[in-house]
Amino acid sequence: MDFQFGDGNVSVRRGRFGAVTGLIVDLMPARMGSRRAEGCVIFVTVEDEEGNTVNFIMSPATYVADFDTLSVGMNGTFWYELDAPAPLIYPPQYNAVVAAKEKRGRMVDVDYYDAGLLNEAHTLQLNLDGSVEVRTTNNQLFQGSPAGHNLVVEYDSSTRSIPAQTTPKRIVVLC
């Protein structure tokens, strides 16, 4: 998707996101080369339901839903970009784009939403009624339409239709 900005075209990248849900088994400051990252980058180890281990790097750019503090022993979901470079190591290691603590009754979807507010997976359709908070990752009000962006959508219920429809509690635009 391209849009006009100033004198030239700027490409907006559609993210394709993968997700891992599991138990956080370790959190520790990450190292950047031979030095620590001064506490700004955290290395998170997650164990999924099948016992597989996945490591995530959480940087200041990682959006954490509700700005929750993550801790060892907590269940959570971590989203990463499927087309981002990743080292070919075991266990796999990804840069976390979004992290969400598991909360009863709250569902979170991270995906690209088109002009009709349908996600790229065609599983969720958003209905905006004017009461929905649309914010940026630094918690500022988003000054445009969320359509045509990668979004973090938090909701508590949806229809059983295909695609499911929901009026979200909060939308965060991944600018």
Side-chain angles (χ1 to χ4, degrees):
M1 172 182 185
D2 290 329
F3 64 92
Q4 202 64 356
F5 185 78
D7 292 336
N9 286 327
V10 176
S11 179
V12 175
R13 188 170 135 197
R14 290 184 183 189
R16 291 186 41 233
F17 300 96
V20 174
T21 298
L23 181 70
I24 298 172
V25 296
D26 197 16
L27 287 165
M28 61 186 199
R31 298 184 78 75
M32 303 302 282
S34 63
R35 63 180 180 83
R36 291 199 182 273
E38 304 300 328
C40 290
V41 179
I42 300 170
F43 196 76
V44 182
T45 302
V46 177
E47 188 175 293
D48 70 13
E49 291 177 351
E50 288 92 39
N52 299 311
T53 300
V54 180
N55 293 319
F56 289 96
I57 297 171
M58 287 184 54
S59 74
T62 303
Y63 172 71
V64 179
D66 291 334
F67 299 98
D68 286 326
T69 300
L70 304 179
S71 60
V72 172
M74 170 186 296
N75 284 310
T77 301
F78 295 80
W79 287 265
Y80 59 95
E81 288 184 86
L82 289 172
D83 61 352
L88 296 175
I89 59 174
Y90 183 82
Q93 178 177 301
Y94 304 108
N95 290 315
V97 175
V98 176
K101 173 182 171 180
E102 209 169 280
K103 288 185 178 178
R104 173 168 278 153
R106 176 181 73 177
M107 291 168 271
V108 179
D109 183 49
V110 178
D111 207 342
Y112 174 83
Y113 282 78
D114 66 16
L117 294 174
L118 176 65
N119 70 357
E120 198 159 67
H122 296 278
T123 58
L124 191 62
Q125 172 80 49
L126 304 182
N127 298 317
L128 302 185
D129 64 2
S131 70
V132 179
E133 287 186 22
V134 181
R135 298 203 170 255
T136 62
T137 56
N138 64 1
N139 207 31
Q140 301 306 301
L141 287 174
F142 183 70
Q143 302 295 319
S145 169
H149 289 88
N150 294 318
L151 304 177
V152 179
V153 177
E154 295 181 36
Y155 61 103
D156 55 13
S157 64
S158 64
T159 64
R160 294 181 184 234
S161 60
I162 298 177
Q165 295 184 30
T166 190
T167 301
K169 293 265 186 219
R170 178 181 299 115
I171 297 173
V172 176
V173 180
L174 298 174
C175 295

